[in-house]
Amino acid sequence: MSDKKKKSIILDGKLLSNQIKEEIKAEVAQMIDREDKSPHLAAVLIGDDAASDTYVKSKEKASKAVGIISSVYRHKSDITEKELLQIVDFLNKDDEIDGFIVQLPLPDHIDENKIIEAIDPKKDIDGFHPINIGRMVAGLPAYLPATPQGIMEMLKRYEIDTEGKHCVVLGRSNIVGTPISILMSRKAKPGNATVTICHSRTKNLEAITRQADILIAAIGKPHFVKADMVKDKAVVIDVGIHRIKSEETTSGYKLVGDVDFDGVSKKCSHITPVPGGVGRMTIASLLMNTMKAAKGEVYF
Ligand code: GUN
């Protein structure tokens, strides 16, 4: 078969997230008309990690573009755990704020779990609080973590059939790998997949990835997934985002995912690009959760 015929379909996160943002913008306008109220999302950013700063700025920009009020609480990395808990408490109690996130990772001297558990589950639009995780597992209304929810929304809008398919997830993080494995196996559409989670201790990883009808790569290693690890016509979702040195760009850097796009895209049926794939959906998904919080849709 020629290369041209083998080209895969690009799952366009930019296009989809723009559609979602237009839908949210219309909903916000209706809310302002009806209740004279705009949804309000807050973010807490500790320290000066470049990737975290970029994420938070993107969230701020996207919120403002749809009419969601955005506040960012920035603090130096020497903030104490107690001071951060006080900020969380303040945000929990502030009626003007519908939902907020504490950007991760936090400095080493702060216990991340302690901070997450201090967030009011009703305002936990990241869906990281154990109550929201538990509700998700039980199939109850819950805030779903933004990246997995964004992936599910993408599969839904592209009408990818997941029922009875073998979905292999690379990575078991609390933010992506674990929740996406639960959502994919749930009795729902999309969902109803048979899920295998692979991680750093998995043996014969390549033999498992080659069985995947749907491969979700969230392993945090640039270009980890090569063409020979992928089954013909698989659907490949790339969660990774890495800035690597490149001679192809004037900046000397380019963004790549966990998947070797050039090789894998010739073999699979659908693939998400980096950038312009899952990352875009994550931000749109956080805005969806902010809307849910403002409308009282999850906890009522
Ligand atoms: N760090 C990387 N991804 C995320 C996310 O989705 N939410 C938060 N709070 N921190 C992150």
Side-chain angles (χ1 to χ4, degrees):
M1 205 184 269
S2 73
D3 259 10
K4 206 172 173 200
K5 273 192 183 154
K6 279 219 153 194
K7 243 184 174 176
S8 54
I9 295 169
I10 302 292
L11 299 170
D12 189 339
K14 189 173 172 187
L15 182 94
L16 278 194
S17 66
N18 284 340
Q19 265 173 21
I20 293 168
K21 284 193 245 170
E22 283 306 316
E23 291 162 14
I24 293 175
K25 196 172 173 182
E27 267 198 84
V28 173
Q30 280 173 12
M31 188 177 269
I32 295 170
D33 271 355
R34 212 174 42 233
E35 305 167 39
D36 199 20
K37 167 193 154 95
S38 305
H40 189 160
L41 157 70
V44 181
L45 177 60
I46 307 298
D48 46 19
D49 177 69
S52 292
D53 190 58
T54 306
Y55 278 135
V56 170
K57 281 191 179 134
S58 309
K59 286 168 193 168
E60 220 181 343
K61 192 171 157 213
S63 303
K64 287 186 179 155
V66 299
I68 290 178
I69 302 168
S70 164
S71 319
V72 181
Y73 294 76
R74 289 173 196 271
H75 290 271
K76 295 211 172 77
S77 58
D78 62 0
I79 188 171
T80 65
E81 189 177 273
K82 194 168 166 208
E83 285 167 332
L84 183 51
L85 286 168
Q86 281 164 354
I87 294 168
V88 168
D89 185 52
F90 166 80
L91 295 172
N92 282 340
K93 289 179 179 151
D94 187 341
D95 289 338
E96 297 292 311
I97 289 169
D98 295 294
F100 66 96
I101 64 155
V102 178
Q103 186 66 30
L104 304 178
L106 291 171
D108 289 345
H109 66 278
I110 297 178
D111 181 347
E112 255 173 34
N113 288 330
K114 205 163 167 184
I115 302 300
I116 290 169
E117 285 192 69
I119 298 173
D120 180 345
K122 296 186 180 69
K123 290 194 172 187
D124 168 40
I125 49 170
D126 255 332
F128 291 170
H129 191 287
I131 290 203
N132 278 312
I133 298 171
R135 289 173 70 110
M136 172 187 70
V137 174
L140 295 168
Y143 293 114
L144 304 180
T147 301
Q149 177 169 247
I151 295 170
M152 297 306 279
E153 195 65 30
M154 187 174 235
L155 295 172
K156 185 168 147 192
R157 292 190 183 223
Y158 271 94
E159 298 179 357
I160 306 273
D161 185 17
T162 59
E163 187 159 319
K165 299 288 161 83
H166 187 190
C167 171
V168 174
V169 178
L170 298 183
R172 57 180 161 184
S173 71
N174 287 346
I175 296 183
V176 186
T178 297
I180 194 68
S181 68
I182 289 162
L183 295 174
M184 286 299 283
S185 64
R186 259 193 342 189
K187 197 169 186 175
K189 196 173 175 190
N192 278 327
T194 304
V195 179
T196 304
I197 308 182
C198 297
H199 46 75
S200 54
R201 307 292 163 90
T202 298
K203 295 201 170 80
N204 300 324
L205 184 119
E206 296 177 13
I208 300 170
T209 59
R210 277 196 284 270
Q211 293 170 31
D213 303 306
I214 302 164
L215 181 61
I216 302 179
I219 205 161
K221 291 183 184 159
H223 286 169
F224 180 83
V225 177
K226 306 276 192 247
D228 63 0
M229 295 167 68
V230 177
K231 181 160 117 175
D232 255 338
K233 306 275 177 238
V235 174
V236 179
I237 308 289
D238 190 350
V239 181
I241 180 146
H242 314 275
R243 192 165 166 265
I244 62 162
K245 286 204 165 121
S246 167
E247 284 168 11
E248 298 160 28
T249 61
T250 44
S251 68
Y253 290 95
K254 69 172 180 177
L255 292 177
V256 300
D258 286 355
V259 175
D260 175 20
F261 184 90
D262 291 345
V264 173
S265 61
K266 294 194 179 86
K267 202 170 178 191
C268 61
S269 71
H270 298 73
I271 187 165
T272 61
V274 178
V278 172
R280 293 278 187 155
M281 296 304 290
T282 299
I283 302 220
S285 180
L286 190 73
L287 301 182
M288 285 163 65
N289 281 351
T290 309
M291 278 314 294
K292 284 184 193 165
K295 291 195 292 184
E297 267 183 14
V298 176
Y299 292 90
F300 37 80

